[in-house]
Amino acid sequence: MKSAIFNYELKYWLKSPLTYIFVAVFFGLALIMMLGTGGFFDGPSNETGNVRLLNSPHEINFIFRYFNKFLLFLIPVIVGTSLYRDYKSRTFHITYSFPMAKRDYLLGKLWSSVLIVIVISLFVGLGLMIGEWILGIENPKIGVFNIWSYIHSYAIFTIPNLLFFSVLVFVVVGMSRNIYAGFITILLLFLFQIIVENLFTGKPFLIALFDPFAQNAVLYETHLWTRDEVNTKYIPVIGIIFYNRILWATIVGAAFFIFYKNFELLHESPFANWLPAFANSKKGANQPKQIPSTKSISQVDYDFSFVAQFKNMLKLSIVDFKFIIRSWMFFALAGFGILALVFILLRTTNTGEFNLLPVTRTIVSTPLFFYSLIIMLATFIYGGMLVHRAKNIRMNHLIDATPIPNWSLLGSKTIALILMQISLLLLLLFSGIIIQIYNGHFHFEFGQYLFRLFVITLPMLAIWAVCSIFVHTISPNLFLGLFVLILIWLGVDSFQHIGLQTQLLKFNAYPSLTYSDFYAYGQQLPGYFSLIAYWLSFAGILTVVSYLFWQRGLITSIKERFSIAKNRMKGIAWIVLFLSFGVFLFFGFKIYKAETNAVLDAGFNQSKGDIMANYKTNFGQYADTPQPKITFIDLDLAIFPEENRFDAKAVYNLKNKTSNPIDLLLIKTGFDEITKTIIPQKHRLIARDSIMQFAVYQLENSIPPNDSITIQFEIKNKANSLFTRNSGIIKNGTYLKHDILPRLGYAYDDRVVEPSDSTARMKNYFYSDADLVQLQTKISTSDEQIAIAPGDLISERKNENGRNHYVYKTNKKVKLNFSFHFGMYEVQREKYKGIDIEVFHHENHTSNVEKMIHGLEAALDYNTKYFGAYPFSTIRIIEYPHTEEDYSATLMANNIPTSEIQFIINSAAMEGKIDMPFYVMAHELTHQWFGNDAMPAAALGAKMLTESITEYITLNIYKQILGKEAADRFLQVQHKRYLRGRAREGKEEHALYRVKSGQQYIAYGKGAVAFNTLAHYIGEEKMNSVLKEYLMSAKTGEYPTSLDLIARLKAAIDDNYHYLINDFFETITHHDIGIDEVKYNSEGGDEQTVNLSFSVTKYKDGKALTNLNDDVEIGLYNDKNELIQLEKTKVTQKTNHIKLVSNQKVHQIILDPNYLLIDKERANNSQ
Amino acid sequence: MRLRIDKLSKTYKNGVKAINELDLVIEKGMFGLLGANGAGKSSLMRTIATLQNPDSGHVYFNDIDVHKNRMDFRKSLGYLPQDFGVYAKDSAEQLLNYFAILKGIASKKDRTKVVEEALHLTNLYDVRRKRVSTYSGGMRQRFGIAQLLLNNPKLIIVDEPTAGLDPTERNRFLNVLRDIGSDNIVIFSTHLVEDVKDLCSDMAVMNQGIILSKITPSNAINSLNGKIWTMKTTKEKLDTLQQQYKVLSSNYNEDNSINIRVFSDTKPDDRFVSVQSNLEDYYFSLTQNQPI
């Protein structure tokens, strides 16, 4: 019997066209994905060297992650239906009376359908393999073909996932006799994953364990893998991945067991009472009125006018809406949705590094994004339910014979879906407010909520609602409809793989919006709403098509459907179609123009590579052409916030600091600006690249050595287009930088200069065209804004002709790093040791201001003590909107432009984490000494002289102010930063002394550790005195390289410790240390002997060393976690035994408690 | 008031000619459409109810071409399909209110009134708060009548409504139908001759997509007056008799003997005695030679 059922089911699916559609789609998607990622559609790739291979076991698994999720939607379709079909067609009335065992029935259905799902999934692998084969081994991203990559992925992830969740869906559909419950189960699993990821933040082990799809388990095992490991290693199965699989097998097994035990081949579902029904039982609400029994229906008004039918549509939509929200599925979905929301919010406001305040903008960012996806998927499912529900229960003919027009029915379904979306959005709003109240945050921004939820998000969701109704109307069955919808959604994402960039084809997809309290969404809205209008009008077209094909009555052939559609195409349908199409074309054209203009503006009708290549060919000869240096800039800058416009005039003093006359001027002007160059001397334009904004001028009279000339520029912004922001000017909080100013010399010189290269010292790392400069700024804006420039405020004239005018001047020479700010600011002022500290911030962003000032003061104290006085009379912190840059801060002369994010960090909730506002300010101000006063030479390793030193000093400040424990946490973060960074490194990891720009993980993470470890052994005072000497020489002499500092360090410290310089600065060195065994011997009293065995392996540049001579610290701790004693021991071999005597009972032993060594796995360091 | 069907044809994709060049005129009153399963009754009913398009031919209701003016026609139409389901969680009251909206009753007060009347008419008032999905077969069919009454239809089409009802339920149902049928056209399809006999003022017999005969039940019975004969026989002899005579029907007696009814203009032989003709005889006399 079992095999009969098994065979019957198998045949059913093998005969169904749906199976072949799935096979084709999955095969096609996999093939396109492999080809697209391999660059098949972009022309030949010229990537060389250490590339991330596409077909390594790790990457194959990575690609499968995407498909594994997609494949899950097959489960309700195939596994769910195998059971559901019997209920729907009501054949179970008959079949359940057959003499078959439930074992045969259930297992036959389950195994056959699971087999079909797995077979379909195999075509993903086949698609990828063929993709690999087409790309060929000569493709740099393709390694040697390895079938085990695939077998591995299938055996550990794809097949178990499909199996687990097939069983789960089977159980759910069996219990509920409802196919939609199967889809909802899959959705709930996704939500469960999100919840787990966010619930256990900071406990990666638990995330890895509970992740239903084991993705996080893979991440847990591989997140520190380097490129080489990624390319070669298999994902280890034994360990967390195995536990995860066992856990889920157990959960699902238990569910199946309970189901199987209780399942009976009965007419009434034995589970009927397991699930609560949300029926409206108005018990005894109104007593029956006694009305006389009649023989006929009384004559009432029947209204078939348009208005009445429109009202009917609304009434019917309420009926459908109630139907949706009355089901337990909806409650489960909404409940899980809100849970996911809460946990995502917890993580967003409580990330690994810093917490954010639960302000409205935070709630409507990432959490809303995920929540919208849930709403969208619910829209897909419930759309199908609404379209098909009357037919499924055979009530359609009752409805179809009534005089209700088709558009009224169609409209009611669409509106019901939108009502469901609104109710879910309102749920988010209420939950958000409750969360805010819970967090003691009573500044409710209803305006912002409503705008984001109902003006920005709802139209997008409504478009999905129309699309969902459309697809389900056209599609002959529910599953094909759902599948097509999911395909549209995921397919749009994959357009980039085949090189499609235009928004015009990405159905209902939008660029993400960033919010700032300074000016809300600002310039982003016109583009966003143009796209919304474009897709809304498309939705209008879809609605007309849905109307034409709306199924009414019994239609027996496709031909008949078309002939009916043709008959319906008249009157109002034409009008709506024409109007929609007109709007669609209008906005389509607008978007098309904006996109092509953006491309043309940027000159990207050629590829970026071609432009660069052209530039290098034409101008490469000038790479070493000596240029005068900028010494003084006189800037006149007026901005017009309402018009997003600025006008500037700049006068440059250029001095020939070389020993030869200069007669060529190479001028690079800003990309986003329109710049007019005025050279008063007689000159000739030799060459120009209008895309790169680069020009070469020949002066008639050359500039003699040590002589100066003056040139002028008139600078204007380019206007914004729909999707591109060209103007830096915004309504409030404008943040302009020196990049609006023209610069001298050959731009984009990407030659790598080694620190040993003697020519490196001629130029500083930052700019070839300036040493330190002076700046005078006349600056003005509208009368409600403050304008800020570098230097001291010399004069201000408020409200003159409706504008505010200021003059700023630098009293000392500064690095050519300028920021200009314009906005409505609140200012907090303080005087500290004769220096004015000013914080310009948004009126509501006050909570971190004190901490920032504290950070500045601490840095002033520390650096002044060790490295000399602060050169300016004022320090300003100026908040800039989150939309303008990332979340960081930068020192620019005496200004520190700081992201809005730093101001809305929830520092009160950051107990036990990095105190960001304090840290950021201490770090930035320290750059005044290391980075601005001492500018490194233009060579590799420059960042060691700026960021590494600064991060090390910040660590010391941190230790001094916040204590050792906080400093240790800071150090741990740096270790992690380094280890994670090198795992993500796309190219080659450099040694610290050769760190290149972009390798933050080395400059910050490893740099801080390196200087700290060295200072730990030689002492802070000693280290600081070496740094001071370095600083003094850098300020006066040539630009220094990393080798200079290393030489100073070697000269200053004991030979014993030179190995540390080699380990940390000159090579890539790691340790692998761990405790092997600990034996405690109590000898009476409080004294205790500890016999410790531990092993040490040292790797240098990837190879294990045999000769060791390293210091390792061992900390002994009592039961209060206090350090009893710290032993330092010299290690010369891999395995070590040491006997320690303690005067207290030892509770814990930690190897390297001060985080001096770089050790990938610290878990085995303590016992 | 008049329904005229003119050369109506419908052939399904699988080649079955469900309606074949069918002509029929139906006047006010209860009209019975008799036919075996598969005779094309439901197809005809669905087509009249505008749920299906004919391949050719027309249906006119009081001179409006129903397939050209579907919406107008549906305003006067009440239709009860042979088999229907309802939303599982809704009560009769809720569902009827829903249908009242669909049928264009704009005012809530009117809807409540009409729904209550329909519930009374169909004797469902006491169970109006119960879910229709839990109703017995007869109650469900009466609910079907209640929903079709909501728009005060002029043309009522009920497709095999008595199938599967027990005798009491059937009677109750037919009474309801009789009450509402007097002023309108009611087309009532059935394969039970009883139904027609009890209810209809006019009737037609349909087979293989065509109308074999349109006649009033009394005329039908009268047309066979003196032509129906009966005899008692045994099972073994039945075959021979069937070859010899036109046997309309046969039924067993308690002693396992068989009574047969035979159609013949004259007395077939001495074993036969004349009996009063009935509607069933008429039906069988028409369909007997037709392949079924």
Side-chain angles (χ1 to χ4, degrees), chain A residues 206-236:
Chain A
L206 289 178
I207 298 178
L209 188 62
F210 285 106
D211 182 345
F213 315 121
Q215 290 171 0
N216 284 295
V218 175
L219 206 63
Y220 182 84
E221 295 282 7
T222 62
H223 75 289
L224 288 182
W225 280 14
T226 59
R227 176 58 42 90
D228 280 337
E229 289 174 305
V230 164
N231 281 347
T232 53
K233 274 170 86 168
Y234 285 99
I235 294 161

Side-chain angles (χ1 to χ4, degrees), chain A residues 159-178:
Chain A
I159 291 177
N161 279 354
L162 290 177
L163 188 62
F164 296 164
F165 304 119
S166 289
V167 172
L168 197 63
V169 165
F170 191 78
V171 167
V172 169
V173 172
M175 284 174 70
S176 65
R177 299 189 174 184
N178 184 333

Side-chain angles (χ1 to χ4, degrees), chain A residues 1032-1084:
Chain A
M1032 296 322 285
S1033 79
K1035 274 163 92 169
T1036 50
E1038 288 182 315
Y1039 291 117
T1041 66
S1042 52
L1043 291 177
D1044 296 342
L1045 179 61
I1046 288 175
R1048 281 178 191 282
L1049 286 170
K1050 281 185 178 164
I1053 65 179
D1054 219 33
D1055 283 356
N1056 290 351
Y1057 294 121
H1058 282 199
Y1059 84 92
L1060 289 172
I1061 295 178
N1062 182 262
D1063 283 358
F1064 283 105
F1065 291 83
E1066 296 174 335
T1067 59
I1068 301 165
T1069 306
H1070 304 138
H1071 284 83
D1072 192 354
I1073 59 175
I1075 294 177
D1076 297 328
E1077 201 185 8
V1078 186
K1079 277 190 194 138
Y1080 298 99
N1081 295 315
S1082 276
E1083 291 165 2

Side-chain angles (χ1 to χ4, degrees), chain A residues 149-221:
Chain A
S149 307
Y150 292 91
I151 294 176
H152 205 258
S153 277
Y154 271 108
I156 302 164
F157 304 103
T158 308
I159 291 177
N161 279 354
L162 290 177
L163 188 62
F164 296 164
F165 304 119
S166 289
V167 172
L168 197 63
V169 165
F170 191 78
V171 167
V172 169
V173 172
M175 284 174 70
S176 65
R177 299 189 174 184
N178 184 333
I179 188 66
Y180 298 94
F183 283 100
I184 302 279
T185 305
I186 296 296
L187 265 191
L188 293 184
L189 280 171
F190 289 144
L191 287 179
F192 183 78
Q193 189 194 28
I194 294 176
I195 290 172
V196 165
E197 281 172 3
N198 290 283
L199 179 64
F200 299 126
T201 308
K203 300 182 191 95
F205 183 81
L206 289 178
I207 298 178
L209 188 62
F210 285 106
D211 182 345
F213 315 121
Q215 290 171 0
N216 284 295
V218 175
L219 206 63
Y220 182 84
E221 295 282 7

Side-chain angles (χ1 to χ4, degrees), chain A residues 103-357:
Chain A
R103 179 173 165 275
D104 295 343
Y105 178 74
L106 291 178
L107 295 184
K109 292 235 167 209
L110 180 61
W111 294 134
S112 56
S113 51
V114 169
L115 182 66
I116 292 285
V117 172
I118 289 174
V119 166
I120 294 175
S121 80
L122 293 178
F123 282 87
V124 171
L126 188 65
L128 294 177
M129 282 187 226
I130 292 183
E132 245 187 72
W133 178 72
I134 293 176
L135 287 171
I137 190 79
E138 50 290 357
N139 187 304
K141 287 186 181 168
I142 297 295
V144 178
F145 173 75
N146 178 358
I147 188 77
W148 284 102
S149 307
Y150 292 91
I151 294 176
H152 205 258
S153 277
Y154 271 108
I156 302 164
F157 304 103
T158 308
I159 291 177
N161 279 354
L162 290 177
L163 188 62
F164 296 164
F165 304 119
S166 289
V167 172
L168 197 63
V169 165
F170 191 78
V171 167
V172 169
V173 172
M175 284 174 70
S176 65
R177 299 189 174 184
N178 184 333
I179 188 66
Y180 298 94
F183 283 100
I184 302 279
T185 305
I186 296 296
L187 265 191
L188 293 184
L189 280 171
F190 289 144
L191 287 179
F192 183 78
Q193 189 194 28
I194 294 176
I195 290 172
V196 165
E197 281 172 3
N198 290 283
L199 179 64
F200 299 126
T201 308
K203 300 182 191 95
F205 183 81
L206 289 178
I207 298 178
L209 188 62
F210 285 106
D211 182 345
F213 315 121
Q215 290 171 0
N216 284 295
V218 175
L219 206 63
Y220 182 84
E221 295 282 7
T222 62
H223 75 289
L224 288 182
W225 280 14
T226 59
R227 176 58 42 90
D228 280 337
E229 289 174 305
V230 164
N231 281 347
T232 53
K233 274 170 86 168
Y234 285 99
I235 294 161
V237 182
I238 303 303
I240 185 72
I241 294 172
F242 182 71
Y243 302 141
N244 172 294
R245 306 281 78 182
I246 292 291
L247 176 75
W248 279 96
T250 314
I251 292 173
V252 168
F256 186 75
F257 180 75
I258 293 169
F259 169 71
Y260 186 83
K261 282 288 265 190
N262 291 282
F263 183 85
E264 280 171 75
L265 297 164
L266 289 177
H267 178 88
E268 282 296 322
S269 165
F271 306 100
N273 299 322
W274 286 33
L275 291 165
F278 290 91
N280 52 338
S281 43
K282 293 181 275 179
K283 278 171 200 141
N286 25 11
Q287 286 301 311
K289 278 175 283 174
Q290 277 307 311
I291 65 160
S293 182
T294 45
K295 287 286 174 197
S296 70
I297 299 286
S298 25
Q299 196 60 45
V300 294
D301 281 339
Y302 295 91
D303 190 346
F304 300 103
S305 66
F306 178 79
V307 178
Q309 300 290 17
F310 191 83
K311 283 186 186 158
N312 282 347
M313 175 174 78
L314 299 180
K315 284 176 205 150
L316 294 174
S317 71
I318 300 283
V319 174
D320 280 336
F321 169 64
K322 281 187 183 157
F323 159 72
I324 294 175
I325 60 167
R326 260 164 45 186
S327 75
W328 63 268
M329 282 192 289
F330 185 79
F331 277 77
L333 196 65
F336 267 73
I338 287 300
L339 267 182
L341 175 85
V342 169
F343 290 120
I344 292 172
L345 186 65
L346 270 179
R347 185 161 76 164
T348 314
T349 56
N350 184 13
T351 54
E353 278 153 48
F354 50 76
N355 299 17
L356 289 175
L357 289 166

